[in-house]
Amino acid sequence: MCGIYGITSKKIISNKLFNGLKKLEYRGYDSSGIAGLSQGNKNLVIKSTGPINHLKKKLKTIANISTGIAHTRWATHGEPLLKNTHPHNSGIIDIVHNGIIENYEDIKLYLIKKKYAFKSDTDSEVIAHLINYNYNKCKDMRSALIKSVKILEGSYAIGAINSDLPDKLFAASNGSPLIIAKGTNENYIASDISPVLKDTQKYLTLGDGEFAELSPEKVIIFDKKNKYLIKKVITTSLKDRQVSLAGHKHFMHKEIYEQKAILNEMMSRYVGQASLLPNIFGPNTDRILSKIKHIHFVACGTSYHASLVAKDWIEQHSTITCTAEVASEYKYKKINILPDTLFVCISQSGETADTISSLKKAKRLGYKDTLAICNVAESTLTRLSNLVFLMNAGPEISVASTKAFTSQLFSLLLLSIIVSRSTEESEKKMVSDMKQLDKIINSVYKLESEIKKISSKFKNKDHTLFLGKGGTYPIALEGALKLKEISYIHASAYHSGELKHGPLALVDKKMPVVCFLPDNHLAKLVLSNLAEVEARQGQTFIFTNKKIPRKNKQVEIIKMPDCPDLIVPILYIIPAQLLSYHVALKKKTDVDKPRNLAKSVTVE
Ligand code: F6R
């Protein structure tokens, strides 16, 4: 996925465009560029590969622009080279694009026949030439845009400028997010609200098949028939400081620490004295959910790990059967649906392409209900699902997900309680366990300095193993994913009982083995699995509240607080997040923007 930002203003906007684009850098950081117009000038363009800061030196080239489009790229078609960097130009037209044009090769052949010369390997460049071709025929930018996108297959959010119309900014959207924000004497297009928050809280979402024409004073939304549309303007409660570092060195660190307040806030919003508040998943949902016999969870990455925890919670506390599938598999599988099955998709962004197509498939298959658990209110997933639960964790900027994971877990714990409660007593017990979170979470944060020390033992490693059992197996998966993502150390997660079936062959005195060991009915079994590691002199890092002796220097025990089993997954992931953060700091990687990744993956 990529980030798009555009402004049309009565003032000079080059610095504002650059600073706003930086807010979208989490969406892609392979290369970036800006194209702008100033009265009487031709299109001015600057481009750079690598982080957006590389553009700064070139800003003086576009010093006088008052209308412009900017783009930060996560490469899909074509390497991250300058020639593939957006904006793409075709004479008087410049465009930026997020999404995939599936039929770009056919369009390219057609345009080559019409004597258009291509400079990039991207799918996006066809859009610039296509608009140019259609504009030259009709000299009307709105009609040119409508005609052009009619031919495009795939998903797109497009921003376009035309040097014949120096104060105009155009946009089109289909299956890729784009908002239109309204300011004072200037208006904006953006992939999300973060770049405009300094100037305005007012925005609308451009829907599929919709277009926008913006000037500093006016926003016009129109459809494929060039008919004006009246759209509801939303006022967000988000403030610019919520997308700032607020004194932390990295967004990841800030977001790890935000988890306490978010969970607390969710607790007060949804949990009463001894029971959950009614219908927290929407009107009538208590009745709907009480009839559910099976649940199919679908998600990707971290969100998928959250679904594994939910599966464990629900199966432990009810007779409901659950499956948890990664969305990229679910889409292509034959799915058997028994009566009274609920489909649940989980996504921080609500824009993950695989999860969206899984939800579309689920709707075709005819589940009893579909529920989307999501962090972004105005997202594709929330628009498509019939039941929606918003986590309200605030924007997650760090590419490595942390606060979204624990918010997903909390949301799923609410769901687990609703579908599992059989008596008032059973609900009361689960609610009382859940309520201990707020108190206990502080002692987990206090482990940071100890975790920082042990992180140096990972710095020079190439491989690690993560172990868990029962509810901590998904935590081992998520802990390993965090370490891989931001420190680039290979990490594999296993059920601790699986060690002896293969992975034990990897263990020698150089191999770090991280283990999550809450003192519960499974602890003894995990301890005997750890003994297998210690017998091969593996280095163990054990997160536990069990009293176990530190037999030798190869064993590190990180003392976790006592806590009810129900909240173990939420508490045990936090030290794992901190561990990967500190290992990444020691390895001097780009913590918030790990290589090759982007925040939400809008391509399948
Ligand atoms: C890992 C991470 C990814 C996402 C995955 C799904 O830190 O962030 O694995 O969890 O791409 O994204 P969403 O939740 O937005 O659907």
Side-chain angles (χ1 to χ4, degrees), residues 198-213:
K198 262 198 167 143
D199 297 293
T200 182
Q201 258 68 36
K202 290 192 178 3
Y203 75 101
L204 57 90
T205 307
L206 205 59
D208 289 352
E210 293 178 354
F211 303 80
E213 177 185 319

Side-chain angles (χ1 to χ4, degrees), residues 194 217 376 440 480 527 559:
S194 51
E217 309 84 4
V376 180
I440 305 176
L527 275 175
K559 188 85 184 73

